[in-house]
Amino acid sequence: MDPHGWVALGTLIVAVTLFISKRIPLEVTALSIPVVLAITRTLPTKDCLAGFGNEAVIALGGIFILGAGLQEAGVATIVARGLERLGGRGPTRAIFVIMVAVAILSAFMSNAAAVAVFLPAVAVLARRTGIAPSRLMMPLAYSAILGGTLTLIGTTPNLILGNELLLRTGTGLGMFDFAPVGIAVTAVGIAFMALVGWRMLPSVDPRAQLGGAAPNDLAQQYGLGKHLYCMKVVAASTVVGRTIAEVGLRKQFGLDVVLVMRSTGMRQVALDPDPRLAFEVGDLIYVEGEAEKGWRFAEEETLQFGLVEPDAVEEILGRGVSLAEVTLAPRSDAAGKTLEELAFREKHGLNVVAVWRASEVINAAPANLQLQMGDAFLLAGPSDKLRELAHDPDYVVIGNGLDTEDVRRAPLAVLLLLVAIVPPLVGLLPLAISALASAVLMIFTRCASVDGARRSFDVTILSLLVGTIPLGIALDRTGVAAHLAEGILNLRTIVGDQGLLGCLFVVSAVLSTTSNNGAAAVILAPVAARVADLSSFSVTAAFLAVAYGASCAFILPFAHQCNLMVMSPGGYATRDFVRVGIPMSILMALTTALLLSAV
């Protein structure tokens, strides 16, 4: 290889290492790639900036908005309502219905968005049928991933590889060219999970049944009663006349006020712990936190400290306080921030009393905990505040009812989906233009709000594509892709041509798991093209093997955002994904390799 080839290879190795370690933001790593290639003169400036004008990137931006419109207009909600009615009482039937519905929807919108829409419905279904949520949540995530294999717009690698094939051969991949193999792969995956996979998931465990549980059950699962204390305000208490905000229970003592009981004549009334509420003599303050901090608060402010009775939680819940479990929505602005930085209590009027992370409950100082995808947290507060939070795009209220959502624009949103799909099918317009047209009409007709459209953009994915597309060009032009392809071709005598497709699948699956599925597609496109040139199968088959491999993200929770979203609601540990994900991945690989040999 010439010096530029070594630069391209070195850039690839460093980029993948940084993608895996995540020591610096993925966007920064990706956008640094074209800068390195330009400075080293590995590629001309025009090619270094090719990612910004790539049709697949433009189409993806339109598809993000299209998915937001389908979600906001209530299309997904209508499907979710049907899910609750058709779910049945046995795990096999429930899983089959869930996976079919989610797979169809995720073929036309963001996989993670499909999970966000269905997660509350699945939680309600679990509660109504008595099926443990741990039996249903992983099938929900897996079906969204499988659904992405059905269409050109189902997932980012499909778009990238379809556009790359068009540039190389003059004939790209059509909207449903993925379907013949995708339907088979999805059917095999659904059959496995409905018949066998759910039996490999955790058995019924009260700590795992988080999704959609009743308030009393949630209180027990999160151990609320173990950290709940009652403080009585006496005449000597220094909190008399001061508001909750002025006392600074959270900042000064690390405690959350769950409820304030106040005597008014002959009866007691429950008061919402609004930060502006001033304490009076005789008030009973129910606080949640560590015992040591509770004792310190009582001593410093001269309060009577008392342990609550076993039935205190039920009494509190009967006084207008409700509990709900919440998780982060896809591309939530809250990810990476603490509840204190978000001013969550002040903004939403709700207290976060505990966080569920990696199968453990964290009660200590939840306000200072940096939120991560996959976290679930227990909220306490008035029911009307919880209903308001359900409409915040940053959060998903698990088990939240869907009956109040406005679905009147759903038929229009479906029509606009056809505006994106039909023109490319009949050859009138390229997908990039039809997707943009559909996105603009989604906003113009208010199927998608401007704020919803803005939130739908996944800046990380777009940055990864813009940055790695020049890397793919460099690998091809400098001969690095050819050398990598030769390494794969050396296995031909052992595995045969059909086995080479399986090798491309496996390499794509590993690279997408450790970095990103879109980046894996960009990097492997020239390698797959070179392997196809020297083998008996078509470049289309090679590209499809890479595409399906990039969607094989079942073994680890961090391999796909959908897996992270169901981890806490399902009460899963990493070993649960490994146990079920390995046979799922093997089945997908075998099905793909078998069917692609005929392409």
Side-chain angles (χ1 to χ4, degrees), residues 277-341:
L277 177 68
F279 294 117
E280 296 181 2
V281 175
D283 284 350
L284 296 178
I285 310 171
Y286 287 91
V287 298
E288 198 275 341
E290 297 178 9
E292 182 181 346
K293 294 178 179 179
W295 278 108
R296 185 167 69 86
F297 172 54
E299 290 178 4
E300 292 186 12
E301 304 292 349
T302 318
L303 299 162
Q304 290 184 1
F305 181 93
L307 298 174
V308 299
E309 299 294 327
D311 58 351
V313 173
E314 292 186 16
E315 181 181 349
I316 289 173
L317 293 175
R319 298 277 188 166
V321 173
S322 188
L323 297 179
E325 189 179 25
V326 173
T327 189
L328 297 182
R331 295 180 290 279
S332 171
D333 289 341
K337 300 177 182 177
T338 67
L339 293 162
E340 187 172 353
E341 291 171 343

Side-chain angles (χ1 to χ4, degrees), residues 70 75 409-422 438 442:
L70 293 175
V75 175
R409 289 192 174 89
L412 178 59
V414 173
L415 180 63
L416 295 181
L417 171 63
L418 296 178
V419 170
I421 292 175
V422 173
S438 179
M442 281 283 186

Side-chain angles (χ1 to χ4, degrees), residues 146-303:
L146 290 169
T149 67
L150 296 174
T151 65
L152 179 65
I153 64 174
T155 190
T156 304
N158 296 8
L159 268 173
I160 291 295
L161 291 164
N163 186 69
E164 185 67 19
L165 187 63
L166 177 64
L167 295 175
R168 289 176 177 273
T169 67
T171 304
L173 289 166
M175 183 64 63
F176 296 105
D177 284 351
F178 290 86
V181 178
I183 290 173
V185 167
T186 303
V188 169
I190 291 174
F192 170 72
M193 291 304 298
L195 298 175
V196 179
W198 68 269
R199 303 176 194 274
M200 303 168 67
L201 292 170
S203 58
V204 177
D205 181 348
R207 291 174 298 173
Q209 298 185 42
L210 298 178
N216 284 332
D217 295 332
L218 283 174
Q220 182 178 3
Q221 291 155 15
Y222 276 89
L224 180 59
K226 298 178 182 178
H227 302 274
L228 189 65
Y229 310 100
C230 181
M231 312 284 182
K232 184 174 183 179
V233 181
V234 297
S237 299
T238 55
V239 301
V240 175
R242 297 163 62 195
T243 66
I244 293 176
E246 290 171 343
V247 174
L249 275 88
R250 174 173 290 174
K251 291 184 179 179
Q252 299 296 324
F253 302 100
L255 300 170
D256 283 302
V257 181
V258 178
L259 185 71
V260 176
M261 299 293 295
R262 178 170 294 171
S263 298
T264 56
M266 300 296 293
R267 67 188 187 94
Q268 284 191 322
V269 296
L271 302 177
D272 176 34
D274 188 287
R276 296 166 295 182
L277 177 68
F279 294 117
E280 296 181 2
V281 175
D283 284 350
L284 296 178
I285 310 171
Y286 287 91
V287 298
E288 198 275 341
E290 297 178 9
E292 182 181 346
K293 294 178 179 179
W295 278 108
R296 185 167 69 86
F297 172 54
E299 290 178 4
E300 292 186 12
E301 304 292 349
T302 318
L303 299 162

Side-chain angles (χ1 to χ4, degrees), residues 89-107:
R89 292 199 168 273
T92 296
R93 180 181 174 184
I95 289 170
F96 177 80
V97 172
I98 289 169
M99 294 190 74
V100 169
V102 176
I104 293 173
L105 192 63
S106 66

Side-chain angles (χ1 to χ4, degrees), residues 418-438:
L418 296 178
V419 170
I421 292 175
V422 173
L425 281 177
V426 298
L428 287 178
L429 291 171
L431 178 61
I433 300 300
S434 64
L436 280 179
S438 179

Side-chain angles (χ1 to χ4, degrees), residues 399-579:
N400 174 55
L402 300 168
D403 295 332
T404 60
E405 187 165 345
D406 187 353
V407 297
R408 290 175 294 178
R409 289 192 174 89
L412 178 59
V414 173
L415 180 63
L416 295 181
L417 171 63
L418 296 178
V419 170
I421 292 175
V422 173
L425 281 177
V426 298
L428 287 178
L429 291 171
L431 178 61
I433 300 300
S434 64
L436 280 179
S438 179
V440 170
L441 290 172
M442 281 283 186
I443 298 174
F444 182 76
T445 58
R446 298 185 180 178
C447 287
S449 64
V450 174
D451 187 56
R454 179 185 65 81
R455 289 175 178 272
S456 71
F457 274 91
D458 194 322
V459 176
T460 299
I461 291 179
L462 292 175
S463 299
L464 280 166
L465 296 183
V466 167
T468 54
I469 283 173
L471 180 57
I473 297 172
L475 294 175
D476 194 13
R477 291 188 185 172
T478 59
V480 174
H483 285 288
L484 295 175
E486 288 171 7
I488 295 176
L489 285 166
N490 288 334
L491 300 173
R492 177 193 279 174
T493 56
I494 301 174
V495 299
D497 279 0
Q498 189 171 324
L500 290 180
L501 289 172
C503 290
L504 286 173
F505 180 99
V506 171
V507 172
S508 179
V510 171
L511 188 56
S512 65
T513 297
T514 54
S515 58
N516 172 269
N517 59 6
V522 172
I523 293 167
L524 291 177
V527 178
R530 182 65 175 171
V531 171
D533 289 342
L534 300 175
S535 304
S536 62
F537 50 79
S538 67
V539 67
T540 300
F543 275 25
L544 288 175
V546 172
Y548 294 125
S551 293
C552 187
F554 306 113
I555 297 177
L556 296 172
F558 59 78
H560 202 283
Q561 192 176 19
C562 294
N563 295 344
L564 285 173
M565 291 178 68
V566 301
M567 193 169 183
S568 286
Y572 301 123
T574 299
R575 64 178 177 273
D576 298 317
F577 285 93
V578 174
R579 184 189 307 118

